[in-house]
């Protein structure tokens, strides 16, 4: 993705691709990435992790993130940004529909229920495999009760497995999972 092989060269092509795709700003202006601080971090097989610093025009508790990562390759991809300052952590979720988010550092704001439901609906509507699966559930249901049980069971199971992955309890092989999703 991004047209860059992360295992080739000195990492400069990947660095430039990431820096073109991500923007950080404070109210007084854009923060400038410090290319000399760009470095890879240890990551599990199949994952990449990078960090770098940015110099902002002035200190601020308000930080705006803009992400165009995987905009062409995976437009419905969700990005979770975790920002730490002192002992506080703020998380932001960016999506294909919402590529810009603002955080008030030191003031954790949980993702609201309606926003989480909307993100889930956008994710579901964004993939033909998701829609085919949903249509199969509807076609296979013999009653509204059977449909409700199937949809609820799928939602709970999907939420549970996503939580296990997000919390780091399981590290599934991405290509295998995508193949199984398509096959199901």
């Amino acid at each position: 993705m991004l047209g860059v092989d992360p295992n080739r060269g000195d990492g400069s092509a990947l660095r430039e691709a990431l820096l073109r795709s991500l923007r950080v700003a404070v109210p007084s202006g854009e923060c400038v990435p410090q290319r000399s601080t760009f470095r890879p971090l240890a990551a599990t097989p199949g994952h990449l992790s990078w960090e770098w610093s940015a110099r902002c025009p002035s200190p601020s508790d308000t930080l705006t993130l803009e992400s165009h990562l995987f905009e062409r390759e995976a437009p419905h991809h969700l990005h979770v940004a975790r920002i730490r300052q002192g002992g506080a952590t703020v998380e932001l979720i960016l999506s294909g529909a919402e590529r810009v988010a603002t955080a008030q550092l030191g003031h954790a704001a949980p993702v609201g229920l309606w926003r989480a439901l909307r993100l889930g609906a956008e994710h579901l509507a964004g993939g033909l495999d998701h829609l085919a699966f949903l249509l199969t559930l509807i076609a296979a249901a013999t009653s509204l009760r059977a449909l409700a049980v199937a949809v609820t069971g799928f939602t709970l199971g999907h939420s549970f497995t996503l939580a296990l992955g997000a919390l780091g309890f399981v590290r599934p092989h991405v290509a295998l999972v995508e193949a199984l999703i398509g096959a199901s």
Side-chain angles (χ1 to χ4, degrees):
M1 297 182 100
L2 300 172
V4 175
D5 182 350
N7 299 313
R8 295 189 59 179
D10 62 0
S12 61
L14 179 60
R15 176 188 68 213
E16 294 307 315
L18 289 172
L19 294 177
R20 272 193 312 274
S21 301
L22 298 169
R23 181 181 160 272
V24 180
V26 294
S28 60
E30 191 164 341
C31 301
V32 178
Q34 305 299 296
R35 284 169 166 71
S36 63
T37 65
F38 193 87
R39 69 183 186 94
L41 299 173
T44 58
H47 294 82
L48 296 173
S49 185
W50 297 84
E51 76 172 5
W52 62 90
S53 298
R55 185 173 309 277
C56 299
S58 64
S60 177
D61 287 342
T62 303
L63 185 71
T64 300
L65 300 176
E66 181 175 352
S67 173
H68 293 280
L69 279 171
F70 314 123
E71 192 169 48
R72 291 180 317 223
E73 298 89 350
H76 299 287
H77 185 80
L78 292 178
H79 306 278
V80 178
R82 185 171 292 131
I83 305 161
R84 292 185 183 100
Q85 179 181 11
T89 300
V90 175
E91 289 189 350
L92 297 174
I93 298 176
L94 297 113
S95 68
E98 295 179 40
R99 296 206 169 267
V100 178
T102 300
Q104 193 68 32
L105 301 176
H107 298 86
V111 175
L113 175 64
W114 295 116
R115 178 148 190 263
L117 289 173
R118 191 178 83 240
L119 286 170
E122 287 173 6
H123 178 72
L124 180 69
L128 292 178
D129 57 338
H130 294 81
L131 295 175
F133 184 80
L134 184 61
L135 288 174
T136 302
L137 283 178
I138 292 169
T142 56
S143 67
L144 283 177
R145 183 179 189 285
L147 177 62
V149 168
V151 169
T152 301
F154 171 76
T155 302
L156 291 174
H158 196 54
S159 298
F160 181 71
T161 56
L162 285 172
L164 288 175
L167 295 171
F169 290 113
V170 294
R171 296 277 184 207
H173 188 272
V174 176
L176 176 63
V177 169
E178 289 296 329
L180 290 172
I181 289 170
S184 71

